[in-house]
Structures are given as structure tokens and as C-alpha cells.
Amino acid sequence: MPALGVVNPYYLEIAVQVGIYVALALGLNIVVGFVGLLNLGFVAFFAIGAYLWAIFGSPQANQFIAGGLFPLSAGWFFIFLLLSVVVGAATGVLLGLPVLRLRGDYLAVVTLGFAEVVRALVNNLDKPINLTNGPRGITPITKPPLFFQPLLDVLGIQVTPAQLYPLYFYFLVLALACVIVIVTRRLEESRIGRAWKAIREDEIAASAMGIPVVKMKLVGFAVGASFASAVGVLFAAKQVFINPESFTFMESIGVLAMVILGGMGSVPGAILGATGVTVLNLQLLKGLSLWLNGLRQSGAVLSIPLLGDFAWSQLPAQFEPAKYERMVFGLILIVMMIFRPQGFLPPQRKR
């Protein structure tokens, strides 16, 4: 992929986006797939991590902290990456404490409400104290340090930061996704992972067996939230600009669709689902739209036997596949639920 990225930077951008959604899907997979809790507000933790770095990694914090200390230097990025794990876990516990006795639809509604509360807060916390800059968003956000650039200079490799950053973010996202996979695998095989699966299968039976149900649910919520928060920090640094519209309810639904398509409770399934949906969204649908636009502008004519000629220039713009992204996802989910409800790569059950 890095080699392809040198040829065409767009492929590297797609790979970074895939990595971000893979990390998010793996986090949600713990909550939905392992513990069996339907969380429709997962994007809230993603937003918390992103705003955590955006506020202090930009001049925004000067609005409410005197001294002109901000933005923090690029070296603080990695400290905030670790801090976001703690903040995300604490937020997950704070949300989980009052609501984890709920189940099914009730829990889904509460988590959905939490996500909307977070979005409304970042949208309106620009008065009386300007914390988030409201709907205008925050920019410019500091990128992580290129600590290896002096070594490149010594080796005689002259590369500008603009050329290095896409490749740098690719490896950062790859490293973060690998860490999340390793942690998830370790947890899955541990006593905690077995407790999560027992709760998912039958909460009453798990409680009768002595498993602390609420405590285990809180752990699951905290772990998933910490993953999403860390990805948020990376996302903010990569995008340089964030605003509340980057964290809408549809983002939560999109990540949930990735987990369902891949197979709930399956690590390879979450990776496959996130990769498939992101590539479909960013590459295939947009590629089809560009192809149709090219045909429309070429003036080509399609000859249909018995029906006559059809000029591509008359094709309405409303037929562009990119405009039907959500409809395509909805159709895919319907088909999957009918013919393969367990997903493409369901978890292997040990006997």
C-alpha cells in the first residue's frame, strides 16, 4: 500500500480512512459483539478524543486559558494519545454506571441520546466561554512530530513534510489498529472475555454463575470507548480541522453496519466489514459517479435495440451512485439479515 500511495496519494488516503474505521469497528465490536450491548452512540467517544486534542493542539485553548500557551507543541500529540485512552475509558464508565442495568432497545435509546448530547454540547459551547468554537469548528490542529526527519536528512533523503505526512499517518493508523487487535485478542481469551460472552449469551445465567454482570459491562464499555477516543485524537491530527458535523448519528450507524456485516463478535469480521464498507463508500460508489459524469460529458450515445438511442448527456445527476450511499448500505444490511445474519466472518465457537 505505501508503494501504491507513492504512485497515487489517493490510495494512501483511502488506506488511512480504512484503518481509522477498522479501529473504530474493533472498539464497537467489543461492546456489541462481545458483551451484547446495542450502542448507537459510539461516535460520541470518537468526538471526545478528537476535541481533546483539537482544543489543546490548536490556538482554541487560548480562548479560556490565559498566557498564550497554545497550541501545544507537536510532541504533546503522543501524550494526548495516551491521555485520550484514560479520558475515553472514564467517559465510558460515567455513561455506563447509570444505564447498564438497561437492556436492548432501552439501552440503544439512551446511548443514542448521549451521542446527541455530546454533539449538541460541542455545537453550543462557544458561549459564554468559547470552549469548542461551536459550529465553526477548530483549525489548524497540530500534527504529530516528524521525529525521524533528521535521520532522513543525514541519509540524504530530501522529502518535504507535505510528502511525508500521508505515509506517516498510514503507519500511525496501522500501528494503532495492530495494538487494538492485540489488546482485543488478549481480552477475548481472558477471563474477562469469557465473562463478556457469557453475559451476551444469557445475562441471568451469567449472574447466577457468579459473574459480576454490571462490572463486566462497565469494563466492556470503557475498553470500547477508550479505543474510539484514541482514534479520535489521530483523526483530528490528520484532518487538521474538525467540527460537530464530523460526528453525526450516521457515523455511529455506519460503524455499527461494519460490525454487523463482518460478523458481530469476530475480530477478522470487524476488519473485513470496516474495509468493505469504507472502500465501497470512498472508492466504488464515487468511482461509479465519476464514470457516469465522464459519460455524460463525453456526448456518447447508447443504442438500445427496439428502444432507440439514448444520449448519456441526458442522464440526470440524481442517478449518481454516490448520492445513494445510505440506500446501498440499507439494502446490503437487509440482504445480509435475510441470507447471512451472522455476517461474512462470524466468530468461531469453541466446543
Side-chain angles (χ1 to χ4, degrees), residues 33-319:
F34 288 174
V35 195
L37 301 172
L38 183 54
N39 184 350
L40 295 183
F42 196 65
V43 75
F45 306 114
F46 184 44
I48 288 169
Y51 269 90
L52 179 68
W53 176 239
I55 290 171
F56 296 101
S58 73
Q60 179 61 29
N62 292 322
Q63 300 285 333
F64 54 91
I65 299 177
L69 303 172
F70 304 95
L72 295 173
S73 64
W76 282 87
F77 170 81
F78 293 104
I79 296 172
F80 270 72
L81 194 61
L82 296 175
L83 182 63
S84 68
V85 174
V86 179
V87 172
T91 313
V93 170
L94 284 177
L95 170 66
L97 273 174
V99 306
L100 282 184
R101 294 187 188 280
L102 303 175
R103 282 187 284 181
D105 300 342
Y106 301 102
L107 180 63
V109 170
V110 171
T111 52
L112 170 61
F114 173 69
E116 286 303 301
V117 167
V118 170
R119 197 168 71 84
L121 281 176
V122 296
N123 217 359
N124 293 287
L125 280 180
D126 55 343
K127 292 177 182 176
I129 301 172
N130 189 357
L131 295 175
T132 63
N133 209 27
R136 294 182 298 277
I138 299 175
T139 193
I141 301 169
T142 305
K143 293 183 177 183
L146 292 170
F147 54 85
F148 50 84
Q149 194 161 30
L151 177 63
L152 294 179
D153 293 338
V154 171
L155 295 174
I157 303 173
Q158 299 299 324
V159 189
T160 64
Q163 293 171 313
L164 269 180
Y165 268 116
L167 201 59
Y168 187 30
F169 276 113
Y170 169 78
F171 284 110
L172 276 179
V173 170
L174 185 64
L176 183 61
C178 288
V179 169
I180 291 176
V181 168
I182 292 169
V183 173
T184 304
R185 281 297 194 193
R186 297 284 294 176
L187 284 172
E188 186 180 8
E189 301 300 328
S190 71
R191 186 173 61 85
I192 294 175
R194 294 195 293 274
W196 284 343
K197 292 174 186 176
I199 293 169
R200 178 189 65 194
E201 297 298 327
D202 192 327
E203 186 175 325
I204 296 174
S207 180
M209 292 292 291
I211 294 173
V213 174
V214 174
K215 181 181 173 183
M216 286 297 114
K217 284 183 177 180
L218 276 178
V219 173
F221 238 69
V223 173
S226 62
F227 289 167
S229 183
V231 180
V233 170
L234 199 53
F235 175 77
K238 174 190 166 296
Q239 295 297 106
V240 187
F241 166 74
I242 61 166
N243 68 354
E245 295 309 307
S246 307
F247 311 100
T248 62
F249 164 68
M250 292 310 295
E251 289 294 321
S252 287
I253 297 300
V255 179
L256 182 62
M258 295 169 188
V259 175
I260 293 173
L261 288 175
M264 288 192 290
S266 164
V267 172
I271 296 171
L272 178 68
T275 305
V277 170
T278 309
V279 170
L280 179 70
N281 181 18
L282 294 180
Q283 183 67 18
L284 297 184
L285 294 181
K286 286 183 172 56
L288 279 172
S289 293
L290 290 173
W291 179 68
L292 285 177
N293 270 328
L295 276 179
R296 192 183 297 121
Q297 293 168 5
S298 69
V301 176
L302 175 66
S303 296
I304 306 173
L306 304 179
L307 295 178
D309 295 337
F310 174 77
W312 283 106
S313 59
Q314 296 178 3
L315 185 71
Q318 285 78 4
F319 279 100

Side-chain angles (χ1 to χ4, degrees), residues 330-341:
L331 289 174
I332 291 173
L333 283 175
I334 291 171
V335 171
M336 286 293 296
M337 288 300 102
I338 294 173
F339 296 104
R340 198 173 173 82

